[in-house]
Amino acid sequence: MARIEDQTLLTGRGRYGDDAPLRNGTLHAAILRSPHAHAQLLAVHTERALALPGVRAVLTGDDVRRWSKPFIVGVKQPMELWALAVDKIRYVGEPVAVVIAESRYRAEDALELLQADYTPLPAVVDIESAIAADAPVLHEQVGSNVVSDRSFRYGDPEAAFADAPHRVSISVEYPRNSCTPIECAVVIAEFISAQDGYEIQSNFMGPFSLHTVMSMALKVPGNKLRHRTFPDSGGSFGVKQAVMAPAVLMCLASRKAGAPVKWVEDRLEHLTAATSATGRLCYASAAVQADGRITALSLDQLDDCGGYLRAPEPATFYRMHGCLTGAYDVRNLSVRNRVVLTNKTPTGLVRGFGGPQLYYALERLVQRIAVELNLDPLDVYRRNFIPARAFPYRAAAGALLDSGNYQKALQMAIDDGGLQALRERQREAHAEGRLFGIGFAAIVEPSVSNMGYITTALTREQRAKAGPKNGAIASATVAIDPLGGVNVVVASAPAGQGHRTVCAQIAADAFGLDPHDISVNIEFDTAKDAWSVAAGNYSSRFAGAVAGTLHLACERLRAKLARIAAAQFGCGAEEVAFDAGRVYPMGAPERALPFSRLAASPHWAPALLPEGESVGMRETAFWTPPQLSAPDDEERVNTSAAYGFAFDICAVEVDRATGRIRIDKYVTIHDAGKILNPGMADGQIRGAFAQGLGAALMEEFRYGADGSFQSGTFADYLVPTTCEVPDPLILHLETPSPFTPLGAKGLGEGNNMSTPVCIANAVADALGHADITLPLTPARVMAMLGMEDPPPSTPLSTPAAIPAQSAGNVGAGGKTGKGLTAQGEIVLAASPEAVFAVLLDPQALAKVVPGCNALDTIGPNRYRADVTVGIGMIKARYAAEIALSDIEAPHRLRLVGSGLSAVGTAKGSGLVTLSPQGSGTLLRYDYEAEVSGKVAAVGGRMLEGAAKIVLKQLFEQLGRQAGGRDTVASGAEPSWWRRLLARLGVAQ
């Protein structure tokens, strides 16, 4: 069945966040974000910004302290995360202040007029540095960067390791990456009054347990925080749970401004500061018998959760806790989980959260077992898979795996996926000296999360004090209107998955109607709709929980209609048929009534209802699986209601000359229980595969040693397009779940768990390497082949130091982040003496420096300048210092500069040499610079290009000033834009 949503979306009638109508007087917000990764926040000066016409208010940390509380934390530690930084900065992009103005343009302009004073502090940007004894501590009240350290033991792992003839161990890291939905965050918030609280409209996806977190942060009861979603959402993939934090921030901004406030996240903000997948360092070991049978596992896991542990973290650890042994029948398990804080963006839910991190270690370990014991990997899988007869199967750590036949799925993948042909291609490639590898991955995909799993992060004593938490309550409402129309409302916030289509199918099946006759409302409203803390669109809960609960509601309402119809037809309710828009006694279709007539009549004539039948044509169903209990005293927990299965085969060829990885073939088989819509199921698999491919080959958040973010645009944070994503062969096996109403399980996250490690295993097979680090970029692959990039043609030197000063929004000091180099030469139409004269003349030099608004002398050949520089979407106004040194007139000098701005710091040093050439001068330059903060986030490609452009502009203008005219060197071709204007006939 074609998707119901598509007609509206494909004709441009979608109603996304930025399309929402606004109340008169709605203001617009822009957020000042820290350019530092770690710093003391001393003050925020707002006077100049407030003086700008159109600016209504500036929200600062003082306001946040007055009207709100810190967000609650998932572990018992004295750390504070406020909606705005109040005293300390812990990651680049952390919100520092909010400008509220009559337009977004004016709000952005006012950001440049804010002045924030910082004292930079040393930063930690990797797990091993953060846990070192001498590491800078992010939260002094905690006293350590390890904010949770829990160990678990199931069975007798020590004995199993002692008895095993083999111990196979690996150390792996899973990198930080994220989701990149087309639509970023959108929030419209209003403070109604102290009595009525706040209203929010946003593209928040849930879980709506975070509604409680928001209301507590705003210091209002839950019923005083109304939260609505938009009709459409342009993707999420998990990331839009992070809308929780800016939603609270915009509520406070509305309170400060006394008007509704709208905020739209831009792409740079999204990549820099929204959220990230959790980075993980894992030391994994397996006790293995000679035939490859695993008897015990040991996992020492350290998660990089960024500058704060923001709810719902440490979900990435504990969502997978019950199924840490994956698809394998392993009864002995030891686990240590450490939550580590670093000066990076706080982490959160990213598609499959917990799964990619776990399976990257577990499936790399299985591959190493096969290699080290010289076994066929498929035999290792067969000997360790949970037997089909064992389901429902209780895993060592507590997961109750509901159904499956992993052996059958494996054989289907081998037979229908053409593994024999792939292995023949591999033999041919090896004979020709080509690098061709085949990898495998087996994963268990949890869906419908147990809301109590997160409490596994607490000790038994802490859980006892807080009270038990468990369940996965879903809700759905179906109603019939006075004209017999069927209306459905579900407590979920879809982001493109096709909820309306599946809900329409389920209701249509129940009432014998066409799906297009069903109206489905997916605009979630906490003030009107039935919901619970588990509501939302996350953890693949739609098919198993939400759709199943709607089925229950429809069955109840159908039963009521059947009783009403039975009284009219004179038959039993079980004999009433619903088919093709009609209702009739079975075996007597000639007596049929139109569905709309029968369904509408109770509205108009309730007195005719059968005796004892209640009025009202509406049913709301709530459902939670009884199998989801709180963690027990042995720390076992059934973390999800249903568990799907996926087995992947990947064949790759690696180009020796370029390091490029080509996917030769990708096969993925899924057991997701009962499939509700085959077309959309395959679409979800393809989407997860594309995202997993990106994680394997391209996507990674990179940070400088000082914590500066360096992946703020799609020039440096690469994501796959349709050109890079091959079409996988998708196979299905259905073993319906006995624990969900429709037998369905989730499948939208599986390939984001399996694909990264499956590709890594294939590359490991191709290269014969034990250590594989994601993403497998060409440069990283070439390094594994022993062909690293050559050293730079000129040695790098350290830019000469310039004394630091306080200016703009940034404090000074500390190592900056992104290093840039530029070398070149240019012919100037002036003598070396004339060029030197310009460089030593402050008034002439002011005309030479690109974007210079003012330049004042502060010492011999030293100047203070006000400079505006634009790079991509970033416009930065720097308070700069410029100095000339190593002067050997008229042959050479060193040009040194440093600057501070609202978006970061910059410093650079360049050697300039001049030599006569004809009637002019040949100028050569060799320049190095470093930038940090928001400018660094635009990435190396854009920065390198911008640096070259700025330097060329500087030296071209130097030649013009020295030559006494606004032209380039004699005979030189006009610039491209002058030629374009000339062609267009536009006057200069």
Side-chain angles (χ1 to χ4, degrees):
M1 175 186 168
R3 288 174 19 127
I4 287 174
E5 294 88 345
D6 288 352
Q7 182 174 356
T8 299
L9 298 179
L10 296 178
T11 56
R13 292 177 172 84
R15 293 172 293 163
Y16 297 93
D18 207 24
D19 301 319
L22 303 177
R23 282 191 52 194
N24 289 338
T26 298
L27 304 175
H28 299 263
I31 301 174
L32 176 68
R33 297 182 180 275
S34 168
H36 295 288
H38 199 195
Q40 292 291 340
L41 176 60
L42 306 178
V44 179
H45 305 286
T46 64
E47 298 81 5
R48 294 172 61 211
L50 289 170
L52 187 68
V55 173
R56 292 277 291 273
V58 177
L59 183 78
T60 66
D62 291 339
D63 302 312
V64 170
R65 280 187 184 274
R66 182 165 63 252
W67 292 326
S68 70
K69 298 192 301 186
F71 293 106
I72 59 172
V73 180
V75 298
K76 300 299 182 182
Q77 290 286 7
M79 68 179 85
E80 292 187 348
L81 168 59
W82 298 80
L84 276 182
V86 297
D87 55 7
K88 193 177 182 184
I89 301 299
R90 295 180 175 89
Y91 64 95
V92 168
E94 183 169 0
V96 173
V98 180
V99 174
I100 308 106
E102 294 172 0
S103 71
R104 179 64 178 262
Y105 298 97
R106 187 50 52 97
E108 293 281 354
D109 288 343
L111 289 183
E112 294 188 2
L113 302 177
L114 290 175
Q115 179 178 331
D117 298 333
Y118 306 92
T119 299
L121 300 170
V124 288
V125 293
D126 64 84
I127 291 172
E128 292 176 320
S129 299
I131 65 175
D134 59 348
V137 175
L138 274 67
H139 296 266
E140 291 79 2
Q141 309 95 310
V142 178
S144 169
N145 293 326
V146 179
V147 298
S148 177
D149 187 346
R150 296 226 61 209
S151 293
F152 306 87
R153 181 179 174 276
Y154 307 101
D156 192 351
E158 296 83 5
F161 273 100
D163 294 342
H166 301 280
R167 182 186 184 111
V168 179
S169 300
I170 60 169
S171 170
V172 297
E173 289 188 67
Y174 190 82
R176 278 177 161 247
N177 51 38
S178 190
C179 318
T180 52
I182 292 177
E183 180 194 43
C184 295
V186 181
V187 177
I188 303 169
E190 183 175 7
F191 174 64
I192 307 300
S193 67
Q195 175 179 321
D196 294 325
Y198 299 89
E199 287 193 5
I200 308 171
Q201 192 174 15
S202 80
N203 47 16
F204 177 64
M205 55 165 276
F208 272 81
S209 54
L210 298 180
H211 180 275
T212 302
V213 176
M214 288 185 266
S215 63
M216 292 174 68
L218 290 166
K219 298 198 292 189
V220 296
N223 62 355
K224 302 298 184 182
L225 176 64
R226 181 182 186 182
H227 199 150
R228 294 177 293 147
T229 62
F230 302 113
D232 296 305
S233 176
S236 172
F237 320 109
V239 75
K240 282 179 179 168
Q241 58 83 24
V243 176
M244 169 195 72
V248 169
L249 186 58
M250 291 307 125
C251 284
L252 299 174
S254 171
R255 185 164 189 167
K256 181 68 180 285
V261 171
K262 177 180 180 179
W263 172 73
V264 179
E265 180 184 51
D266 66 37
R267 182 64 62 185
L268 181 62
E269 287 181 298
H270 177 80
L271 289 170
T272 303
T275 194
S276 164
T278 306
R280 178 172 294 177
L281 172 62
C282 180
Y283 304 98
S285 296
V288 188
Q289 299 296 316
D291 64 354
R293 180 79 174 87
I294 303 170
T295 58
L297 286 170
S298 172
L299 301 173
D300 184 1
Q301 306 179 118
L302 300 96
D303 270 9
D304 173 2
C305 288
Y308 300 90
L309 193 63
R310 183 172 63 193
E313 289 282 39
T316 303
F317 263 147
Y318 293 100
R319 180 205 183 189
M320 304 298 296
H321 189 82
C323 54
L324 285 170
T325 47
Y328 309 117
D329 183 15
V330 179
R331 307 310 308 169
N332 305 298
L333 172 68
S334 65
V335 185
R336 184 184 183 188
N337 291 340
R338 280 175 280 178
V339 176
V340 182
L341 300 188
T342 63
N343 291 114
K344 298 177 184 175
T345 310
T347 58
L349 310 186
V350 169
R351 194 177 201 160
F353 65 101
Q357 293 85 349
L358 169 65
Y359 292 121
Y360 191 69
L362 190 57
E363 293 303 294
R364 287 291 300 123
L365 185 61
V366 170
Q367 200 252 12
R368 292 308 304 165
I369 291 171
V371 170
E372 294 188 19
L373 274 63
N374 196 27
L375 299 170
D376 184 332
L378 298 178
D379 289 337
V380 178
Y381 285 117
R382 292 187 182 100
R383 289 165 188 158
N384 286 287
F385 276 162
I386 297 164
R389 64 181 180 277
F391 291 97
Y393 172 89
R394 180 73 69 178
L400 184 59
L401 307 187
D402 48 339
S403 65
N405 190 331
Y406 302 167
Q407 294 80 2
K408 182 177 181 180
L410 171 67
Q411 197 59 47
M412 287 176 62
I414 293 171
D415 296 340
D416 299 342
L419 179 60
Q420 183 176 349
L422 286 178
R423 285 184 160 166
E424 181 59 34
R425 285 214 291 273
Q426 184 180 37
R427 285 189 288 270
E428 293 172 357
H430 288 176
E432 297 170 6
R434 292 183 286 123
L435 300 173
F436 193 104
I438 299 175
F440 308 96
I443 64 105
V444 167
E445 179 180 2
S447 55
V448 191
S449 288
N450 180 353
M451 297 306 289
Y453 76 79
I454 194 65
T455 62
T456 315
L458 304 177
T459 65
R460 297 180 184 87
E461 295 74 22
Q462 290 170 334
R463 289 199 300 270
K465 185 176 181 180
K469 307 288 190 301
N470 70 286
I473 300 172
S475 59
T477 300
V478 60
I480 296 174
D481 66 28
L483 291 178
V486 177
N487 300 278
V488 168
V489 178
V490 293
S492 187
Q497 294 93 334
H499 285 17
R500 288 179 56 203
T501 299
V502 175
C503 289
Q505 287 181 270
I506 291 169
D509 284 350
F511 297 113
L513 301 173
D514 187 287
H516 292 89
D517 295 333
I518 311 297
S519 175
V520 181
N521 188 308
I522 40 80
E523 298 174 65
F524 188 40
D525 186 337
T526 61
K528 293 184 177 181
D529 299 327
W531 63 284
S532 76
V533 293
N537 178 29
Y538 64 97
S539 297
S540 293
R541 64 181 271 108
F542 174 73
V546 177
T549 305
L550 173 61
H551 170 73
L552 297 177
C554 290
E555 289 296 305
R556 292 177 190 173
L557 189 54
R558 172 189 162 126
K560 183 173 186 175
L561 278 174
R563 292 192 298 271
I564 295 171
Q568 296 184 33
F569 292 135
C571 64
E574 69 281 0
E575 299 177 86
V576 175
F578 294 79
D579 179 58
R582 302 177 305 155
V583 184
Y584 54 87
M586 291 180 182
E590 70 278 1
R591 299 179 61 192
L593 293 174
F595 174 88
S596 58
R597 178 178 173 182
L598 174 75
S601 62
H603 285 284
W604 303 99
L608 298 180
L609 287 171
E611 184 178 353
E613 197 67 57
S614 62
V615 298
M617 300 303 292
R618 174 186 294 265
E619 285 287 343
T620 295
F622 288 88
W623 171 84
T624 187
Q627 295 81 13
L628 297 185
S629 56
D632 65 19
D633 290 339
E634 282 73 46
E635 309 276 17
R636 289 179 170 84
V637 58
N638 183 23
T639 41
S640 296
Y643 298 86
F645 175 74
F647 186 82
D648 291 3
I649 303 173
C650 177
V652 303
E653 183 166 0
V654 181
D655 191 314
R656 291 183 186 273
T658 65
R660 180 176 180 267
I661 295 169
R662 180 182 64 84
I663 306 296
D664 183 80
K665 187 174 185 180
Y666 201 98
V667 180
T668 182
I669 184 167
H670 284 255
D671 178 0
K674 179 63 178 175
I675 295 176
L676 304 183
N677 185 302
M680 289 196 294
D682 284 1
Q684 288 293 302
I685 291 170
R686 285 188 171 87
F689 168 67
Q691 193 166 343
L693 180 77
L697 301 181
M698 303 177 186
E699 299 185 41
E700 180 182 23
F701 278 169
R702 295 194 306 276
Y703 295 82
D706 63 341
S708 57
F709 184 67
Q710 299 176 357
S711 305
T713 70
F714 287 143
D716 280 81
Y717 185 80
L718 301 181
V719 296
T721 71
T722 53
C723 299
E724 291 82 40
V725 181
D727 195 24
L729 174 62
I730 300 173
L731 306 171
H732 291 283
L733 172 68
E734 293 184 72
T735 62
S737 171
F739 300 152
T740 64
L742 292 170
K745 312 178 186 183
L747 51 60
E749 299 177 281
N751 277 101
N752 209 41
M753 301 179 183
S754 62
T755 297
V757 69
C758 190
I759 293 175
N761 281 341
V763 172
D765 184 53
L767 303 183
H769 268 254
D771 297 325
I772 301 293
T773 302
L774 301 184
L776 288 160
T777 60
R780 190 164 277 160
V781 172
M782 293 300 286
M784 285 192 288
L785 291 171
M787 302 170 66
E788 297 187 10
D789 289 341
S793 55
T794 58
L796 297 177
S797 60
T798 302
I802 288 185
Q805 76 275 7
S806 176
N809 298 353
V810 183
K815 186 177 183 293
T816 54
K818 185 69 182 177
L820 306 169
T821 61
Q823 300 85 31
E825 60 182 36
I826 187 170
V827 177
L828 306 179
S831 66
E833 291 79 7
V835 173
F836 239 89
V838 172
L839 291 171
L840 300 178
D841 179 353
Q843 292 184 344
L845 185 61
K847 298 178 181 179
V848 168
V849 177
C852 184
N853 304 307
L855 186 140
D856 300 313
T857 302
I858 58 174
N861 298 318
R862 296 179 66 85
Y863 310 99
R864 181 175 290 117
D866 178 2
V867 180
T868 301
V869 180
I871 300 174
M873 75 292 292
I874 305 302
K875 183 180 72 172
R877 189 161 186 167
Y878 284 93
E881 285 193 11
I882 300 171
L884 308 179
S885 62
D886 302 336
I887 299 173
E888 298 178 14
H891 303 298
R892 58 179 287 156
L893 59 77
R894 182 171 293 278
L895 180 64
V896 182
S898 71
L900 306 170
S901 79
V903 295
T905 65
K907 62 181 178 181
S909 173
L911 183 64
V912 179
T913 61
L914 307 172
S915 58
Q917 180 166 314
S919 60
T921 298
L922 176 63
L923 182 149
R924 291 188 174 93
Y925 59 90
D926 189 348
Y927 208 82
E928 298 168 12
E930 288 184 341
V931 295
S932 71
K934 191 174 181 180
V935 175
V938 304
R941 290 175 174 83
M942 192 174 293
L943 282 172
E944 291 282 1
K948 293 174 182 177
I949 291 171
V950 170
L951 286 170
K952 186 176 181 182
Q953 290 175 345
L954 187 153
F955 293 123
E956 283 183 346
Q957 186 61 21
L958 176 61
R960 296 187 188 104
Q961 288 293 319
R965 61 186 184 277
D966 187 18
T967 60
V968 294
S970 177
E973 188 178 4
S975 64
W976 69 268
W977 64 269
R978 290 183 184 275
R979 297 197 306 274
L980 177 62
L981 290 176
R983 287 185 181 182
L984 296 175
V986 179
Q988 294 182 5

